[in-house]
Amino acid sequence: MPFASSSSSTPGFVRRTAESDEESETSSSDEENGFGFEEEPPVEEVDAAEEAALRKRKRPPPITISLKKVCKVCKESGHEAGFRGATYIDCPKKPCFLCKMPGHTTMFCPHRVAMEHGVIPAPEKNTKTSLDYIFKRQINDKIPKIKPEFVIPDQVDCGLIRFHSRRITCLEFHPTRNNILLSGDKKGQLGIWNYVKQLERTIYGSIHSCIVNNIKFSLGNDAMVYTSSSDGTVNCTDMETGIKTLLFDLNPEGWNGPATWRMLYGMDVNIERSVLFVADNFGYLYSVDMRSNKHTGEPILIHKKGSKVVGLHCNPVQPDLLLSCGNDHFARIWDARRLNIDSSLASLAHGRVVNSAYFSPLSGNKILTTSQDNRIRVWDSIFGNLESPSREIVHSHDFNRHLTPFRAEWDPKDPSESLAVIGRYISENYDGVALHPIDFIDTSTGKLVAEVMDTDVTTITPVNKLHPHEYILASGSSRTILIWKIKPEKWKTKKEPERKQFIFNNTEKKRHGKVDSDSDGDSDLDPKGRRSKTKKCQSKCTKSGMKKS
C-alpha cells in the first residue's frame, strides 16, 4: 500500500545524530562521578566559512509511516480507485470512466447495460410497400438493399500461441489466397500463417527494426507485400523468399534524437493511380509510385504540424478521396488530385485522439471513426452535413498504454454497411471469469449484435480483422493469433463441432532457460508455457451461452 504523509499529531521516527550520542555519554559519565553540573567546553575559534557550512547542513528527515488509502486516479487519500486486476473501481470525485459523464459510476453506466442508450437510429427510407421499394430500386440504385441477418463468427477454431516475440500490431488477409493471414508485431517481424494447414507458418524477423503499423498488397503481384513501420521506412517484401526492398526512408542518417526521428503510421493504396500514400508523426503526407517503387513529390502537411497522422484510407469507389485521422482530434477528407495545406474538403471534429477512420467498404458513402473518448462515430453520407456525426456510440476502448489502439472496422461482406467489429477494454464477469469480449455493433442503431468471447482467452484483444469473403474473424491477443468461425449448428449441419486446436510456436529464443516474454503485452500463458487458471470451455463463446453477472 502506498505511503502518505502523516498528520502533525502522528509521532515520527527521528534518527539520532552522533553529537547527541556523545552528549548522552558525557552526561551519564558526569552523573556517575557525582557531579551535578556540566563543564563548559573550551571556546574555540571557528572560521566564518565553516560556521556557514555547519548551518547549511541538513538533518535527515523523519521517517513517517501511514496506512491511509490513496486513490490512483485523483491522488487523494481516504479511498481507493483505479484498476484492481481486470476490474475497474470508480473514483467518487471523477466522472464515469466509460461515458465520461458525471452522476454515476462505470458499474452502473447505462451505456454498459445497453450500448444503444441515447443513440439516434438511422432514418427509415422505405415506409411503403415492397413493390414500391422494388420500383424505387430500379430508378435509383442508391437506395440500400433489404438488411440481411448478420452472421457472426463466434467460436474459436484454431490458434497460434506465441507466434510473435512481441505484441501483434496489425493483421491482414491475403486478397486472393483465402487461407493466408499476415501479421506484424512491435518488434518489426512479419508473420505468414496458413490457418487451414496450421503447421505452415513463417516469420521474417528482419523486415523492420520496430513496430509494423500497416500491411498492404501489391496490385499486379499478390506475392509482394508493402509494410510501413515506426522506424520511418516503407518496404516491399517477397512473401516466398522474405527478401525486402527499401522503398522509402525518412531517417537516412539514423537516430539523432526524438525531435527529428520520423515514424510512419497511416498507409493506403490508391488503386487507380498506383500510388502508395504514407503519413508520419509530424503531420505530413508522402506518396510512393508503386510502378517505379520511388518516392514522388514533396511532403504535404495535412494535419496540425507536430501531430501524428495515425490513419489513411482511400475511398473504394472514388480512390481520389482520401480520409485521414490524427492526434489533433480531427479526421479530414482530401482530394488526392489537389493536395495542399488548406485544401481539405471536410474536417470532422472529435473529443480526443482519433485512432482510425474508414469509408464504408462497398459504396464508400459512410464514415466510421474510433476516438479515445470512448466514442464510435458514424456519418451516414459524405454528401450531407458533416459538421456533426449521425450517431455517437459509447464503447469501452480508452486504454492507458502497452496496447495496440482499438479500431472499429466495417464488415466487408455486409451489404447494408452497418456491421462493425471492435475489441473491448473493460472486462466483464462471465461465470466468475473476467473476460474482454470482441463486440459486433450495428452502427445504424448502436445495438450490440453479439459479444464474442472464450474462457481460454482472458487477455485483451485490440486487433481484429474480418475476412473479405468468408465468415471468419482473425484476432490478435498479445502475441497470439486466433481464428474464429461460426458454429456448425447455425448452418443446420449434422457435423459435430471440432475441438479447438492451439499450436505453440517453439521458435523463440530462450535466455537462461526462460522464455523471452513480452514486456508490454498481455500474455494468456505463464512463462513455463502453461495456461492460466481459468475454466476450460469449448463452446461458451457468445452472450447467449454465458451468464453475465
Side-chain angles (χ1 to χ4, degrees):
M1 184 172 290
F3 296 96
S5 59
S6 63
S7 60
S8 59
S9 60
T10 305
F13 299 91
V14 184
R15 295 183 180 179
R16 198 172 187 178
T17 59
E19 296 177 0
S20 61
D21 294 337
E22 294 177 357
E23 292 175 3
S24 62
E25 292 177 359
T26 305
S27 60
S28 60
S29 62
D30 292 339
E31 290 176 0
E32 291 177 358
N33 295 332
F35 298 99
F37 61 91
E38 296 181 359
E39 184 178 357
E40 295 181 359
V43 180
E44 297 179 0
E45 295 181 359
V46 182
D47 296 338
E50 293 180 1
E51 185 177 358
L54 291 174
R55 292 179 180 177
K56 291 182 180 180
R57 183 182 300 173
K58 296 182 180 179
R59 294 183 179 180
I63 301 174
T64 58
I65 299 176
S66 176
L67 300 179
K68 291 182 179 180
K69 298 179 179 179
V70 177
C71 177
K72 296 181 180 179
V73 180
C74 65
K75 308 302 181 183
E76 295 184 5
S77 59
H79 62 277
E80 287 183 305
F83 280 96
R84 181 181 293 174
T87 305
Y88 181 78
I89 302 174
D90 284 280
C91 176
K93 299 183 179 180
K94 295 291 182 179
C96 173
F97 180 76
L98 179 58
C99 67
K100 314 299 182 185
M101 299 297 292
H104 60 271
T105 61
T106 306
M107 293 300 297
F108 300 99
C109 180
H111 296 279
R112 190 169 187 172
V113 179
M115 188 174 297
E116 66 275 13
H117 176 77
V119 177
I120 302 174
E124 295 290 339
K125 295 184 178 180
N126 306 311
T127 58
K128 298 183 179 181
T129 63
S130 57
L131 292 176
D132 184 63
Y133 168 78
I134 296 174
F135 179 73
K136 287 184 177 180
R137 285 282 299 171
Q138 293 177 349
I139 299 176
N140 187 2
D141 57 353
K142 293 183 179 180
I143 296 178
K145 300 179 181 178
I146 298 176
K147 194 173 183 178
E149 182 181 359
F150 296 125
V151 180
I152 307 299
D154 52 5
Q155 183 179 16
V156 175
D157 181 73
C158 59
L160 194 55
I161 308 297
R162 291 182 177 176
F163 182 42
H164 286 272
S165 60
R166 303 297 292 273
R167 61 177 166 89
I168 296 171
T169 55
C170 56
L171 294 172
E172 191 72 30
F173 283 98
H174 197 277
T176 57
R177 304 175 190 176
N178 292 336
N179 55 342
I180 301 296
L181 177 68
L182 280 77
S183 57
D185 68 356
K186 184 180 177 182
K187 196 176 181 180
Q189 297 177 344
L190 178 65
I192 304 172
W193 182 34
N194 186 343
Y195 53 85
V196 175
K197 300 178 181 179
Q198 300 175 11
L199 296 178
E200 292 186 6
R201 59 188 188 274
T202 305
I203 190 163
Y204 299 116
S206 59
I207 304 300
H208 293 280
S209 60
C210 59
I211 306 174
V212 179
N213 293 313
N214 290 278
I215 299 175
K216 299 295 178 181
F217 284 91
S218 174
L219 303 178
N221 186 2
D222 59 6
M224 305 299 292
V225 58
Y226 293 88
T227 55
S228 65
S229 171
S230 293
D231 60 4
T233 62
V234 177
N235 290 333
C236 182
T237 306
D238 190 342
M239 293 175 53
E240 302 295 334
T241 62
I243 299 175
K244 66 176 182 179
T245 303
L246 180 63
L247 306 182
F248 189 43
D249 188 4
L250 287 176
N251 305 296
E253 299 179 357
W255 175 261
N256 292 320
T260 58
W261 184 261
R262 294 182 178 267
M263 298 178 281
L264 294 176
Y265 286 92
M267 183 175 73
D268 202 9
V269 177
N270 187 321
I271 300 176
E272 291 185 353
R273 300 182 180 275
S274 298
V275 174
L276 186 70
F277 289 113
V278 288
D280 65 2
N281 59 325
F282 285 86
Y284 286 90
L285 177 72
Y286 306 85
S287 59
V288 179
D289 190 349
M290 301 177 66
R291 292 163 293 191
S292 61
N293 289 336
K294 292 182 180 180
H295 169 58
T296 59
E298 296 293 330
I300 302 170
L301 184 66
I302 60 173
H303 280 262
K304 183 179 178 181
K305 190 173 183 180
S307 64
K308 183 192 304 181
V309 183
V310 297
L312 294 175
H313 188 221
C314 294
N315 193 290
V317 177
Q318 179 55 259
D320 286 330
L321 285 180
L322 179 65
L323 180 62
S324 65
C325 60
N327 283 13
D328 59 351
H329 305 181
F330 278 94
R332 291 187 169 93
I333 304 176
W334 306 86
D335 187 350
R337 294 167 295 186
R338 53 180 189 91
L339 283 170
N340 52 61
I341 297 178
D342 298 323
S343 65
S344 63
L345 303 178
S347 296
L348 314 179
H350 292 71
R352 288 182 60 188
V353 174
V354 188
N355 292 339
S356 63
Y358 298 104
F359 289 111
S360 52
L362 300 178
S363 66
N365 190 30
K366 297 181 179 181
I367 294 177
L368 175 68
T369 65
T370 308
S371 177
Q372 278 293 105
D373 59 357
N374 277 344
R375 297 294 192 278
I376 298 173
R377 291 174 173 84
V378 183
W379 282 263
D380 285 335
S381 177
I382 60 176
F383 304 106
N385 184 11
L386 298 178
E387 293 182 0
S388 60
S390 304
R391 276 168 302 285
E392 288 188 2
I393 304 171
V394 177
H395 182 266
S396 174
H397 50 259
D398 178 16
F399 66 96
N400 186 11
R401 57 180 180 176
H402 301 325
L403 278 178
T404 303
F406 292 86
R407 299 180 178 93
E409 297 189 10
W410 299 102
D411 184 0
K413 305 176 297 298
D414 177 26
S416 64
E417 297 183 327
S418 58
L419 186 63
V421 61
I422 185 174
R424 191 187 303 180
Y425 181 57
I426 295 181
S427 64
E428 300 289 348
N429 188 2
Y430 298 93
D431 291 344
V433 182
L435 301 178
H436 304 264
I438 303 171
D439 294 332
F440 286 81
I441 303 173
D442 185 355
T443 58
S444 62
T445 61
K447 292 184 178 180
L448 182 64
V449 177
E451 45 187 358
V452 175
M453 82 286 292
D454 193 295
T455 51
D456 288 337
V457 184
T458 59
T459 52
I460 304 173
T461 310
V463 185
N464 300 280
K465 179 69 67 172
L466 286 166
H467 199 283
H469 310 297
E470 300 179 0
Y471 295 110
I472 295 176
L473 170 68
S475 62
S477 179
S478 184
R479 299 179 289 163
T480 299
I481 300 178
L482 299 173
I483 299 296
W484 304 74
K485 294 184 178 180
I486 58 175
K487 292 182 179 179
E489 55 266 23
K490 289 189 176 182
W491 292 102
K492 299 180 180 180
T493 58
K494 298 181 180 180
K495 183 180 178 181
E496 295 182 358
E498 299 179 355
R499 298 190 62 183
K500 295 174 287 187
Q501 297 182 3
F502 294 103
I503 300 176
F504 288 82
N505 186 37
N506 298 322
T507 60
E508 296 181 356
K509 297 181 180 179
K510 294 187 177 181
R511 299 179 180 177
H512 305 291
K514 296 182 179 180
V515 179
D516 185 14
S517 60
D518 190 357
S519 60
D520 60 348
D522 292 336
S523 179
D524 46 1
L525 301 172
D526 59 13
K528 295 183 180 180
R530 297 176 297 189
R531 293 189 185 280
S532 58
K533 295 182 180 180
T534 58
K535 296 181 181 180
K536 295 185 178 180
C537 176
Q538 295 290 335
S539 60
K540 295 182 180 180
C541 299
T542 59
K543 184 177 181 181
S544 60
M546 302 188 69
K547 295 180 180 180
K548 184 175 177 181
S549 60

